[in-house]
Amino acid sequence: MSEALLPDPVSVTVRAPAKINVYLGVGKVRDDGFHPLETVYQAVSLYDDVTVTAAEEWAVTLLADGDHVDGSAVPDDDTNIVVRAGKALAAHHGIERAAEIEIRKTIPVAGGMAGGSADAAATLVALDRLWNLDTSDDDLLALAADLGSDVPFALVGGTATGTGRGEVVTPVDDAGTWWWVVVFSDEGLSTPSVYGAYDLLEGGDHDYRVRPAMLDTLRHPEDNPDGLPMFLYNDLEDAAFYLRPDLQTTAEAALECGAATTLLSGSGPTMLAMATDADHAREVAGRLAGRGYTRTAVAHGPVAGAHVVAYG
Ligand code: C5P
């Protein structure tokens, strides 16, 4: 059978997920300013879609999907992480190319859900397809790690442990479908400021390793259906609550609204309320809305990492 040759695409759209850290253990700050981590990432069903189109000059357009997305905080010039991703990919292959990059954003900006990292991962995959580069997975992961600690995970998706500064990603079997009410915040919170508060308050002098029993619970949720909530943990939570006491109030409200437990997402300020299933998540979100927390989304995980959704 002969194969028809497809023309090169004019545009490619890639969808990349937000991440949460169902476990985030943080050690003592390293000489390079980063903190050693042991984390368990989970990709959840909030997505940014990135569309790349061949162009002479780099350009970025942002479409904000939802009133929890503050597009004004996202640069539209070469400092945007998506342009840095595109330039890094071109340099890796020794080619001179540019592209127009449109980001349709649902993941909150500076929310602790790695939205910028998702956009960078999506851009790497989209430009690889647009330019027909066939970059190996290992090379894409290395380019991703240079762009930011959370970018490799956005490529891989699912559930995975992260070590190093978060960039060394190892997939974890996760047989569950876990439901979350994502409670957005009106303002962003800068990641370095939360790590700075962590250094002052706690310093990281403790055992921050992931408990093997947590990974067993993800692998075999049927053996321990109530197990995950008791393992959820984030070392940055006290630091984020110190900088933003309103987040602790949000956590208390979510518990009063019936959440199984609550957790800061990454370095915040997004808060997560865990639910037992989709209906329970919608109930908790409804009750939170009654208490004035109207900027929420119901999401589930794990979901796939960056993947092509359309060729134009
Ligand atoms: O790697 P990324 O660009 O996402 O990191 C943003 C900032 O977050 C870093 O400059 C650093 O202040 C802080 N960070 C850290 N330790 C990590 C990851 C991030 O201190 N493991």
Side-chain angles (χ1 to χ4, degrees):
M1 200 165 66
S2 68
E3 270 182 41
L5 270 183
L6 288 172
D8 282 354
V10 175
S11 69
V12 181
T13 301
V14 170
R15 180 163 295 170
K19 65 85 188 161
I20 61 175
N21 305 75
V22 288
Y23 179 88
L24 180 56
V26 182
K28 238 186 170 56
V29 66
R30 307 189 314 202
D31 289 346
D32 64 0
F34 285 91
H35 293 71
L37 304 182
E38 275 216 19
T39 188
V40 182
Y41 291 112
Q42 187 173 90
V44 297
S45 59
L46 278 182
Y47 304 96
D48 283 359
D49 281 356
V50 171
T51 301
V52 297
T53 309
E56 297 292 316
E57 305 277 344
W58 291 103
V60 181
T61 338
L62 188 90
L63 306 169
D65 224 349
D67 62 3
H68 63 277
V69 178
D70 175 13
S72 68
V74 178
D76 61 0
D77 60 14
D78 284 13
T79 62
N80 191 301
I81 193 167
V82 296
V83 178
R84 293 197 282 119
K87 287 184 172 174
L89 184 69
H92 174 75
H93 289 279
I95 56 175
E96 289 256 344
R97 301 270 177 92
E100 277 174 21
I101 306 176
E102 183 193 89
I103 308 167
R104 182 175 281 275
K105 235 186 187 319
T106 308
I107 307 173
V109 178
M113 301 191 85
S117 301
D119 301 343
T123 302
L124 288 175
V125 173
L127 289 176
D128 180 66
R129 305 297 184 271
L130 182 74
W131 296 337
N132 261 319
L133 298 172
D134 225 359
T135 316
S136 71
D137 287 352
D138 282 352
D139 285 357
L140 279 180
L141 285 168
L143 288 165
D146 281 347
L147 289 162
S149 308
D150 296 330
V151 185
F153 176 69
L155 287 174
V156 171
T159 300
T161 57
T163 53
R165 59 183 161 85
E167 87 285 17
V168 182
V169 172
T170 308
V172 169
D173 284 340
D174 183 349
T177 298
W178 311 101
W179 287 89
W180 309 96
V181 181
V182 182
V183 186
F184 303 115
S185 178
D186 290 342
E187 289 165 63
L189 188 54
S190 109
T191 301
S193 72
V194 178
Y195 275 103
Y198 175 77
D199 292 339
L200 289 175
L201 293 172
E202 222 276 309
D205 221 355
H206 64 299
D207 181 1
Y208 58 92
R209 285 172 298 181
V210 181
R211 304 248 294 278
M214 179 178 197
L215 302 179
D216 285 344
T217 299
L218 291 166
R219 278 188 206 109
H220 302 290
E222 68 288 356
D223 293 347
N224 194 358
D226 303 323
L228 193 57
M230 74 186 186
F231 291 114
L232 297 179
Y233 179 73
N234 186 339
D235 254 337
L236 297 178
E237 200 166 76
D238 285 349
F241 287 177
Y242 171 78
L243 295 172
R244 287 277 304 274
D246 60 297
L247 300 180
Q248 188 154 13
T249 313
T250 305
E252 285 158 10
L255 290 175
E256 286 159 19
C257 289
T261 188
T262 63
L263 185 71
L264 180 78
S265 178
S267 59
T270 303
M271 290 296 300
L272 304 164
M274 194 179 191
T276 47
D277 55 29
D279 286 342
H280 181 221
R282 281 188 283 270
E283 261 170 51
V284 172
R287 289 191 204 126
L288 276 166
R291 302 267 300 253
Y293 295 94
T294 51
R295 292 183 183 194
T296 62
V298 168
H300 62 87
V303 299
H307 57 283
V308 174
V309 288
Y311 288 102

